[in-house]
Amino acid sequence: MRARATAWRRLTAEPFDVLVIGGGVTGAAIAYEAARRGLRCALVERGDFASGTSSRSSKLVHGGLRYLKEGHIALTRESVREREALLRDAPGLVDPIEFVMPHYRGRKPGRATLAAGLAIYDALGGSWQHRYSRAGDTLALVPVLDDRALLGAHVYRDATTDDARLVLRLLTAASTAGATVLNYANAAPALESGDVVGAYVTDIAGGRSAEVRARAVISATGAFADGLRECVGAAPRLRPLRGSHVLFPAWRAPLAVAVAFEHPSDGRPVFAYPWQGATLAGTTDLDHDAGFEKEPSIAPGEVAYLLDAMRYQFPSLGLTAGDVVSTYAGIRPVVDNAHARAPSRVSRDHVVWHERGLITITGGKLTTFRPMALDALRAAAPRLPSFDAAPRPIFVRRPGGRLSGRYGENAAAVAAIAKDGELETIGTTPFLWAELRWAARNEGVVHLDDLLLRRTRAGLLLHDGATQHFDRIAAICRDELQWDAHVWESERGRYETIRREHYSLP
Ligand SMILES: Cc1cc2nc3c(=O)[nH]c(=O)nc-3n(C[C@H](O)[C@H](O)[C@H](O)COP(=O)(O)OP(=O)(O)OC[C@H]3O[C@@H](n4cnc5c(N)ncnc54)[C@H](O)[C@@H]3O)c2cc1C
């Protein structure tokens, strides 16, 4: 990724074919698909890359069995096909995970219902993956499962990822293909004769602003899209729905596979699974009434709901709030087509809107970033010099492996910059110290929270938010970001506030 000063110079010097507003997975994918087709493309993100919903998902690359249950066949088909493409093209970043759905005497869903659903799910994905496992075998897979009245389980395959890293990998590929990308840069549409011709961009980190011109302006601002639409006089159409998660240390909730089950209080699907050396449990689905001024946070009722689910399915663990390592909350970009419906029944399909030259793409899922990006560019095509919409492999295929999945062609370079001891992991996380150094040097890090909450996830995975490693982290920031003691202290204060308010128990 280019240095900030270079990115700003390019942003303000060139007219672009495509200006993308929003640096979540959708915007990153649009920038990548545009740049790899030779289009001159820029992307601006008002916070850090992936700091919106795309670092706060359930981190599943999946069709979503529950969407199938709601009758969203097309969305499920598209998602499972994209899952298969990502498993093929991004091993080490998107990896398979087995899901266990236990069956109990007297509990829903029944064995026949689930068998039928999984048969359709596998048929849509093009391969037969699921099986039935008897009670004894199920307990061998998940020894901590409630074994009272257990009949057996259905076992099927989906996939998991590190959502923020998926965004960074797309942005790095976009930048390598020629795109200019800048975080901490807010955009507002620039209009001429009532038509959007570019955007006024404010470099929040650099304290400067400029008008950027582009043939096509695409807003990939997810749940926040109504903000830009309002600037062109469009009425709000989104319904912000919050979903929250809690993380436990692996030793307190030891799982080798994912377990999905219905919540005892309302029958909603919930899950727990091993993620980056911890156990992730989620999720909730509530109208988010707190506004967008502040980052979302988990509410006390959501913590209780998720703890109830964990205690119900894994009673022997005796989990309490004291076991929670961290929490996070995200806002789903959901189109408000049926406000009266329960949140979990609202469609997750994506939509593209044209309003006075502003193209907005929103809704959808992390999993479906590629078809979403191509749909957005198809909508922009009449304004572009050329556009070939045929899908291409997501990334150049490389042998699997964690670094290669996370960093693509830069994997060897990440390992090569390691100083003494930096090929070791940061505490109990799978993240190497060399990754932290690499990110600080090359990945547009402006704040400490960028480094600890998104480039690596150490701030989520360690009980103290990685504060016990601060001396070593400060030394890397001094080397790579030229932070003196004063800057470090202010960054540390900012990080600790964000972590306390938005990533801890309320
Ligand atoms: C709790 C939860 C769980 C989920 N789980 C899954 C899952 O397991 N699998 C799955 O496939 N999907 C999942 N999703 C859905 C998925 O996370 C989202 O669909 C996806 O991340 C949205 O990406 P996006 O790029 O469209 O939006 P975002 O990631 O929100 O990106 C939009 C960006 O636009 C920026 N922005 C807004 N206004 C401006 C402006 N004026 N100027 C510059 N930048 C601006 C914002 O800062 C933000 O970073 C989940 C969602 C939630 C909330």
Side-chain angles (χ1 to χ4, degrees):
M1 216 170 268
R2 283 167 201 87
R4 232 185 143 73
T6 315
W8 182 255
R9 203 173 333 106
R10 287 176 55 139
L11 192 67
T12 50
E14 292 181 32
F16 290 94
D17 294 321
V18 183
L19 173 63
V20 182
I21 305 176
V25 72
T26 311
I30 297 169
Y32 175 45
E33 296 293 353
R36 75 204 295 217
R37 287 170 171 78
L39 294 169
R40 288 167 308 161
C41 177
L43 175 147
V44 289
E45 159 57 51
R46 70 178 171 192
D48 185 27
F49 300 126
S51 62
T53 306
S54 297
S55 56
R56 302 157 186 275
S57 74
S58 302
K59 291 121 181 48
L60 295 171
V61 171
H62 65 157
L65 258 187
R66 75 174 167 124
Y67 305 125
L68 190 59
K69 193 175 151 202
E70 302 292 336
H72 303 300
I73 302 273
L75 175 67
T76 310
R77 181 191 296 113
E78 182 170 67
S79 303
V80 288
R81 290 191 179 161
E82 288 305 299
R83 177 195 67 195
E84 293 307 298
L86 277 156
L87 283 167
R88 188 188 62 221
D89 296 346
L93 177 59
V94 177
D95 294 307
I97 185 167
E98 279 203 324
F99 266 78
V100 168
M101 285 190 94
H103 295 292
Y104 290 91
R105 195 167 305 115
R107 265 201 223 173
K108 286 205 301 184
R111 181 174 166 176
T113 314
L114 199 59
L118 285 169
I120 300 172
Y121 197 60
D122 280 354
L124 294 174
S127 62
W128 197 258
Q129 308 268 5
H130 72 277
R131 63 179 195 274
Y132 188 77
S133 139
R134 289 206 295 238
D137 296 333
T138 303
L139 288 171
L141 275 173
V142 193
V144 295
L145 206 61
D146 185 3
D147 60 357
R148 292 165 298 177
L150 178 70
L151 298 171
H154 269 98
V155 183
Y156 66 99
R157 199 202 65 169
D158 251 323
T160 172
T161 189
D162 175 347
D163 46 5
R165 176 51 51 184
L166 175 61
V167 176
L168 259 295
R169 177 127 191 236
L170 287 165
L171 285 170
T172 305
S175 179
T176 305
T180 300
V181 303
L182 190 67
N183 53 355
Y184 295 98
N186 185 68
L191 290 123
E192 209 171 77
S193 314
D195 202 36
V196 175
V197 292
Y200 299 108
V201 178
T202 305
D203 174 3
I204 299 161
R208 50 196 165 187
S209 39
E211 186 181 338
V212 177
R213 291 253 166 174
R215 291 173 192 258
V217 178
I218 304 179
S219 163
T221 48
F224 318 98
D226 279 343
L228 286 183
R229 295 181 55 251
E230 201 184 326
C231 301
V232 298
R237 292 184 69 174
L238 294 176
R239 177 176 180 184
L241 295 176
R242 186 176 69 243
S244 300
H245 294 80
V246 292
L247 281 101
F248 298 95
W251 69 272
R252 281 298 286 125
L255 291 177
V257 293
V259 179
F261 53 101
E262 291 190 353
H263 194 284
S265 71
D266 59 5
R268 276 192 58 253
V270 284
F271 65 83
Y273 76 88
W275 182 75
Q276 305 290 331
T279 298
L280 179 63
T283 178
T284 56
D285 208 356
L286 305 160
D287 280 306
H288 179 71
D289 302 321
F292 293 139
E293 288 71 37
K294 290 181 82 179
E295 283 188 44
S297 311
I298 195 168
E302 293 177 280
V303 176
Y305 178 88
L306 294 175
L307 276 172
D308 282 351
M310 292 298 280
R311 289 194 201 108
Y312 168 76
Q313 191 57 72
F314 312 108
S316 63
L317 296 176
L319 290 169
T320 69
D323 294 307
V324 171
V325 180
S326 64
T327 69
Y328 62 87
I331 304 175
R332 295 184 175 85
V334 175
V335 181
D336 190 4
N337 44 14
H339 200 87
R341 301 181 85 183
S344 53
R345 298 181 68 92
V346 180
S347 166
R348 309 297 152 131
D349 282 328
H350 70 265
V351 290
V352 180
W353 295 316
H354 294 248
E355 284 146 338
R356 297 176 74 183
L358 180 69
I359 297 167
T360 298
I361 176 135
T362 186
K365 299 167 65 189
L366 189 83
T367 306
T368 52
F369 66 82
R370 179 173 59 167
M372 287 178 72
L374 293 177
D375 275 357
L377 287 167
R378 256 183 224 114
R383 293 170 176 253
L384 301 176
S386 66
F387 177 65
D388 157 23
R392 302 180 179 185
I394 298 172
F395 297 117
V396 175
R397 259 175 249 168
R398 294 170 195 285
R402 192 174 170 281
L403 282 188
S404 144
R406 295 177 65 83
Y407 299 94
E409 61 185 16
N410 293 322
V414 174
I417 67 160
K419 299 202 170 166
D420 269 359
E422 289 186 357
L423 291 177
E424 286 164 19
T425 57
I426 307 172
T428 51
T429 78
F431 292 85
L432 306 179
W433 283 98
E435 292 182 71
L436 198 102
R437 182 178 291 285
W438 173 266
R441 191 181 296 179
N442 298 299
E443 293 189 334
V445 167
V446 172
H447 292 295
L448 185 58
D449 40 294
D450 307 343
L451 204 50
L452 297 182
L453 294 174
R454 289 171 291 274
R455 301 301 178 282
T456 74
R457 315 307 292 266
L460 280 179
L461 297 168
L462 296 174
H463 232 301
D464 59 353
T467 50
Q468 63 170 307
H469 299 289
F470 267 7
D471 287 351
R472 211 165 157 187
I473 296 168
I476 292 178
C477 292
R478 196 170 49 236
D479 283 1
E480 304 295 342
L481 295 160
Q482 290 73 54
W483 288 357
D484 59 20
H486 177 72
V487 176
W488 170 259
E489 277 314 310
S490 120
E491 285 299 331
R492 177 190 176 132
R494 174 189 151 105
Y495 170 70
E496 286 179 349
T497 306
I498 291 174
R499 208 180 153 270
R500 190 177 53 249
E501 291 182 3
H502 307 293
Y503 293 89
S504 304
L505 287 173

